[in-house]
């Protein structure tokens, strides 16, 4: 006799439930007639096939997709993964010269910024670094802030509902140069000149890849508004195609000169007897307080921006303590609440109250549970997160296990399209100062949702919701680990004068209606709440997983599922990178018109019919895509064998090298 209950954990929960619903407790393996032989054989075959598929990992039934479309990257000395092949090559070159993981990460950020891989030199950089000597995770906050004059009243006076998506008024102060130089000075081993060499070679001219070339052409009408951008991106003005074509040598002479000035400042300081660290900070000062800063300010103001020289001089990189929670013995680290990162931590706290593994990978029950957990966490993100230098967000309450347990009780069989923020203040012994606004929030959020909730996810909404970023993942044999999601200054970007520096568009992540988020209103010197969110996880005090992804508001959704794929379903680092995720749109977009689409969900096209039908009955509006993993890059640490396993999604141009 085959006992059906013994199949628990081998079959997805919904398959097992279907068998038990037929009052089947055991299956006799001895037939009483030829007809029964055929019937029982078919049933047994179905069970065994399900177990086999579940183990193989076919979508909707098991752990990932086999075979992988990309190989696992195995290395024992180092690994470098980022958004473009040439960016990974830059990191590999630094490693081959003896640099550590921080040196390589800095070179990769610089290279991808030069390649406009959904970011530029005027964008922002945020990182988590594992320090092997101090045995701790360090957070790098190199997000620019709002310039002088950027206030709620200013944007309202311009007739705007939000700060703009594009143009000089969308720009926060440049953060990436400071982030690179601070990381290098504090935790690297090499000179700025060494790590900038690949970028300078790229700036002198490199064969442009199709993705970036086509982005320039698609955005050329907007680019033509800004003279310094037009000069760089549209070398064939007046022709049918005004942007470069794929494979054409793309030259950025102004940027090359700016990078050369940084190297000159470093060389000069070294010749005066300054240390490596002091020389790097001399270059930092030239960018933010010297002739480079003056040209950035002049060029930005010429095009209608608000930057002042004091705005650049007074900005600085922050080295911070990250936030973290423990999920089943694994410590997961994220940046503070000026990012959306804590939403992943909140989601893990909520999901710890459910037996996810028994539900089965991407079963209807699993998707429904994780979707609603994310909705609860992101509703809190949308109302409570902001720059801790200006506001006191209730992070102690938001990340408490008791708060998560009570939030988990709100998850039901049907999706709730009206899930809103909770009140975490009682969980940290306080009183909510915005209770009156919290009551108004439901109406404010409802106004961002289209009247027809079954409406499709139109192209503009998706483009805004999934707005760019890249990711950088490095690790070395000394124990340094770096996870970065640099971003900002994507095409179409305003270039600041004759510097070649493309400005950020991150101001659009502020809101100017306090009913939406009283913690995230613009004011000079304040950082907007951004989507950028690298991740590090430690197990037994040692690095376990380093992972990051691009994709705007979808980032922590994909990273949450990636983590669960590894921890709950036993996928390896590459399987989890390619696995079928689902994307929710039941949270306020951080971009554009800040829309929300309650109940909207994207599933991969090979999701079984019985799953999609079940989810439809639960109130979900479903779209099917060929790929849904997002371009996830990750490193898993094999302490048993002393090696690294690198994974790089097959979603985009992301690429890795290991040795």
């Amino acid at each position: 006799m085959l006992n059906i209950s013994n199949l628990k954990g081998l079959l997805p929960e919904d398959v097992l439930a279907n068998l038990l619903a037929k009052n089947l407790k055991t299956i006799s393996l001895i037939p009483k007639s030829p007809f029964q032989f055929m019937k029982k054989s078919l049933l047994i075959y179905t069970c065994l096939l399900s177990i086999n598929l579940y183990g193989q990992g076919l979508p909707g039934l098991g752990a990932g997709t086999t075979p992988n479309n990309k190989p696992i990257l195995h290395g024992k000395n180092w690994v470098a993964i980022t958004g473009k092949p040439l960016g990974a090559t830059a990191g590999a070159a630094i490693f081959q010269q003896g640099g550590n993981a921080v040196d390589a990460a800095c070179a990769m950020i610089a290279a991808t910024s030069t390649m406009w891989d959904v970011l530029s030199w005027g964008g922002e950089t945020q990182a988590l670094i594992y320090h092997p000597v101090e045995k701790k995770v360090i957070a790098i906050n190199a997000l620019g802030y709002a310039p002088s004059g950027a206030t709620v009243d200013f944007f309202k006076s311009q007739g705007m509902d939000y700060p703009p998506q594009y143009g000089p008024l969308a720009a926060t102060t440049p953060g990436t140069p400071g982030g690179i130089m601070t990381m290098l000075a504090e935790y690297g081993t090499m000179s700025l000149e060494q790590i900038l060499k690949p970028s300078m070679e790229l700036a002198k001219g490199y064969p442009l890849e199709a993705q970036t070339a086509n982005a320039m052409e698609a955005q050329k009408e907007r680019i033509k508004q800004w003279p310094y951008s037009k000069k760089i991106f549209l070398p064939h003005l007046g022709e049918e195609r005004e942007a470069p074509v794929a494979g054409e040598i793309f030259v950025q002479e102004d940027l090359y000169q700016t990078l050369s000035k940084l190297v000159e400042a470093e060389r000069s300081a070294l010749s005066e007897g300054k240390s490596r660290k002091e020389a790097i900070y001399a270059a930092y000062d030239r960018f933010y307080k010297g002739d480079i800063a003056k040209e950035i300010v002049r060029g930005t103001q010429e095009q209608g921006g608000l930057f002042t020289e004091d705005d650049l001089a007074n900005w600085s990189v922050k080295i911070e303590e990250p936030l973290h929670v423990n999920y089943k013995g694994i410590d997961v680290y994220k940046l503070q609440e000026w990012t959306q990162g804590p939403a992943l931590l909140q989601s893990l706290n909520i999901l710890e109250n459910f037996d996810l593994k028994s539900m089965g990978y991407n079963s209807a029950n699993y998707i429904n549970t994780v979707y609603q957990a994310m909705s609860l966490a992101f509703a809190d993100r949308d109302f409570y997160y902001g720059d801790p230098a200006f506001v006191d967000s209730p992070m102690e309450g938001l990340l408490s296990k008791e708060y998560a347990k009570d939030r988990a009780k709100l998850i039901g069989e049907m999706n709730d399209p009206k899930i809103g923020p909770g009140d975490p203040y009682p969980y940290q012994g306080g009183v909510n100062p915005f209770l009156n606004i919290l009551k108004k929030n439901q109406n404010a959020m409802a106004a961002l949702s289209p009247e027809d909730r079954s409406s499709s996810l139109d192209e503009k909404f998706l483009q805004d919701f999934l707005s760019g970023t890249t990711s950088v993942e490095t690790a070395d044999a000394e124990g340094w680990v770096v996870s970065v999601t640099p971003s900002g200054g994507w095409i179409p970007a305003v270039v600041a004068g004759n510097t070649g520096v493309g400005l950020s568009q991150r101001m659009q992540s502020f809101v100017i209606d306090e009913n939406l988020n009283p913690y995230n209103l613009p004011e000079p010197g304040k950082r907007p709440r951004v989507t950028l969110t690298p991740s590090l996880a430690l197990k037994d005090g040692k690095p376990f997983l380093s992972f990051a992804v691009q994709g705007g508001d979808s980032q922590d959704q994909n990273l949450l599922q990636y983590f669960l794929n590894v921890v709950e379903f036993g996928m390896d680092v590459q399987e989890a990178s390619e696995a079928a995720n689902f994307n929710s749109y039941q949270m306020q977009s951080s971009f554009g018109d800040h829309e929300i689409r309650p109940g909207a969900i994207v599933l991969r096209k090979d999701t079984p019919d019985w799953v999609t039908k079940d989810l439809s009955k639960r109130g979900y509006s479903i779209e099917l895509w060929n790929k849904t993993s997002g371009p996830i890059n990750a490193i898993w640490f094999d302490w048993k064998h002393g090696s690294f396993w690198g994974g790089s999604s097959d979603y985009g141009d992301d690429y890795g090298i290991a040795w």
Side-chain angles (χ1 to χ4, degrees):
M1 301 290 287
L2 178 63
N3 194 324
I4 297 296
S5 63
N6 289 338
L7 298 178
K8 187 174 183 180
L10 294 175
L11 289 176
E13 190 179 75
D14 46 2
V15 174
L16 189 63
N18 284 336
L19 292 173
L20 294 174
K22 298 175 181 178
N23 293 318
L24 285 172
K25 296 183 179 179
T26 60
I27 303 172
S28 172
L29 300 180
I30 303 174
K32 296 181 179 179
S33 68
F35 174 75
Q36 278 195 335
F37 175 80
M38 294 174 61
K39 184 177 178 180
K40 290 184 181 293
S41 295
L42 181 60
L43 181 57
I44 294 167
Y45 175 77
T46 301
C47 291
L48 295 176
L49 179 62
S50 295
I51 294 169
N52 184 45
L53 293 179
Y54 185 59
Q56 286 185 38
L58 293 184
L61 286 176
T65 304
T66 52
N68 296 328
N69 291 321
K70 281 184 176 181
I72 294 169
L73 299 166
H74 289 289
K76 70 173 184 177
N77 296 301
W78 52 262
V79 60
I81 314 173
T82 190
K84 298 287 183 187
L86 285 178
T89 303
I94 295 299
F95 273 130
Q96 294 284 31
Q97 294 171 47
N100 71 7
V102 179
D103 298 317
C106 290
M108 292 160 72
I109 299 166
T112 52
S113 296
T114 303
M115 298 173 69
W116 299 87
D117 182 22
V118 210
L119 76 158
S120 175
W121 275 92
E124 48 269 351
T125 285
Q126 30 284 310
L128 292 171
I129 300 173
Y130 179 75
H131 195 306
V133 178
E134 297 181 3
K135 299 190 183 306
K136 62 181 292 189
V137 179
I138 297 161
I140 301 295
N141 177 348
L143 172 64
Y145 57 37
S148 298
T151 64
V152 169
D153 289 342
F154 170 77
F155 290 111
K156 286 184 175 179
S157 73
Q158 303 295 306
M160 299 176 181
D161 294 325
Y162 304 94
Q165 273 187 276
Y166 303 106
L169 292 179
T172 52
T173 53
T176 286
I180 290 172
M181 288 186 273
T182 298
M183 289 169 61
L184 182 66
E186 299 294 333
Y187 307 109
T189 66
M190 302 179 84
S191 69
L192 183 62
E193 181 174 6
Q194 286 174 296
I195 71 102
L196 287 184
K197 184 178 179 182
S199 300
M200 294 175 73
E201 291 182 7
L202 290 167
K204 289 293 286 184
Y206 75 97
L208 193 64
E209 73 284 357
Q211 183 185 51
T212 305
N214 292 337
M216 294 174 184
E217 179 67 13
Q219 296 287 349
K220 64 182 180 182
E221 295 309 315
R222 186 171 275 117
I223 289 169
K224 289 176 183 178
Q225 301 173 44
W226 311 310
Y228 303 100
S229 303
K230 180 172 65 174
K231 179 176 71 170
I232 295 170
F233 297 137
L234 304 177
H236 309 301
L237 279 171
E239 300 178 18
E240 182 177 352
R241 183 183 174 100
E242 297 178 302
V245 297
E248 182 176 338
I249 303 301
F250 179 54
V251 178
Q252 301 172 79
E253 183 60 32
D254 286 346
L255 179 59
Y256 177 81
Q257 293 301 327
T258 294
L259 300 180
S260 297
K261 290 176 181 178
L262 297 178
V263 171
E264 287 172 9
E266 181 187 48
R267 285 179 178 172
S268 178
L270 290 171
S271 70
E272 295 171 3
K274 300 288 180 65
S275 67
R276 182 192 74 91
K277 185 174 180 178
E278 291 170 331
I280 293 170
Y281 281 126
Y284 181 111
D285 286 344
R286 185 168 185 180
F287 188 94
Y288 288 98
K289 299 176 183 178
D291 56 338
I292 299 173
K294 291 181 185 298
E295 178 58 16
I296 288 174
V297 170
R298 185 206 65 77
T300 303
Q301 290 183 350
E302 175 193 332
Q303 297 174 92
L306 301 174
F307 288 175
T308 67
E309 290 183 31
D310 283 345
D311 289 331
L312 269 67
N314 293 333
W315 177 86
S316 63
V317 177
K318 295 185 177 185
I319 300 176
E320 301 177 336
E321 290 288 331
L323 299 174
H324 76 281
V325 301
N326 185 280
Y327 181 85
K328 297 185 177 181
I330 300 171
D331 291 311
V332 184
Y333 290 81
K334 301 293 283 188
L335 297 169
Q336 294 179 13
E337 65 270 22
W338 52 272
T339 75
Q340 69 172 339
L344 182 144
L345 304 182
Q346 285 189 249
S347 298
L348 287 174
N349 278 348
I350 293 169
L351 292 170
E352 206 169 31
N353 295 284
F354 298 89
D355 185 357
L356 299 178
K357 186 174 183 179
S358 72
M359 295 180 186
Y361 165 71
N362 278 4
S363 68
N365 284 340
Y366 176 80
I367 292 172
N368 177 64
T369 302
V370 176
Y371 186 104
Q372 290 188 72
M374 293 193 302
S375 296
L376 290 162
F378 277 86
D380 285 338
R381 177 206 75 167
D382 291 341
F383 188 79
Y384 289 110
Y385 291 14
D387 184 353
F390 282 74
V391 295
D392 189 14
S393 297
M395 297 312 299
E396 181 185 347
L398 288 169
L399 294 181
S400 76
K401 296 289 187 179
E402 288 304 311
Y403 178 68
K405 187 178 294 184
D406 286 343
R407 293 287 271 171
K409 294 173 184 175
L410 299 176
I411 295 176
E413 289 296 311
M414 300 290 293
N415 179 55
D416 181 0
K418 294 184 178 180
I419 284 175
D423 183 2
Y425 280 91
Y427 298 84
Q428 59 183 45
V431 177
N432 196 326
F434 295 110
L435 277 178
N436 60 325
I437 296 177
L438 190 62
K439 294 174 183 177
K440 300 175 184 176
N441 177 261
Q442 193 74 55
N443 290 334
M445 292 296 286
L448 301 177
S449 177
E451 292 183 10
D452 178 10
R453 293 216 171 140
S454 65
S455 61
S456 63
L457 300 170
D458 59 89
E459 185 176 348
K460 182 185 183 305
F461 170 75
L462 288 173
Q463 187 175 26
D464 293 346
F465 195 96
L466 302 172
S467 285
T469 306
T470 193
S471 60
V472 171
E473 299 292 317
T474 61
D476 65 37
E478 292 182 5
W480 290 95
V481 185
V482 186
S483 181
V484 196
T485 47
S487 189
W490 53 77
I491 296 168
V494 174
V495 173
N498 294 305
T499 63
V501 172
L503 297 178
S504 167
Q505 300 95 338
R506 197 57 62 175
M507 285 289 293
Q508 67 182 298
S509 291
F510 281 118
V511 299
I512 61 176
D513 179 358
E514 69 172 4
N515 293 318
L516 290 172
N517 184 343
Y519 300 82
N520 189 36
L521 304 171
E523 51 187 302
K526 187 177 184 180
R527 289 166 163 87
R529 194 279 298 153
V530 296
T531 55
L532 307 161
T533 179
S535 313
L536 271 177
L538 306 185
K539 187 175 183 180
D540 301 323
K542 296 185 292 186
F544 170 72
L545 196 63
S546 178
F547 53 120
V549 67
Q550 63 169 287
D553 291 280
S554 72
Q555 287 178 58
D556 274 311
Q557 299 184 51
N558 284 317
L559 294 175
L560 172 67
Q561 292 171 74
Y562 182 89
F563 179 80
L564 295 174
N565 288 345
V566 174
V567 173
E568 294 288 358
F569 299 108
M571 297 188 200
D572 67 41
V573 67
Q574 185 62 34
E575 284 179 319
S577 292
E578 297 183 18
N581 287 346
F582 57 88
N583 283 328
S584 164
Y585 298 90
Q586 189 164 309
M587 65 276 299
Q588 184 183 348
S589 173
S590 302
F591 306 94
D593 296 328
H594 291 244
E595 292 181 75
I596 181 172
R597 300 288 173 89
I601 187 171
V602 168
L603 303 170
R604 204 163 73 176
K605 278 190 173 179
D606 51 7
T607 301
D609 288 344
W610 65 81
V611 174
T612 58
K613 289 176 181 177
D614 191 335
L615 291 172
S616 294
K617 293 176 183 177
R618 297 179 192 232
Y620 293 97
S621 175
I622 298 170
E623 289 208 6
L624 301 174
W625 292 1
N626 286 328
K627 292 184 179 181
T628 56
S629 66
I632 295 172
N633 292 322
I635 303 169
W636 180 73
F637 298 85
D638 184 351
W639 291 102
K640 180 180 179 180
H641 302 103
S643 65
F644 309 113
W645 291 40
S648 182
S649 173
D650 62 343
Y651 192 97
D653 288 352
D654 296 69
Y655 194 82
I657 305 174
W659 187 253

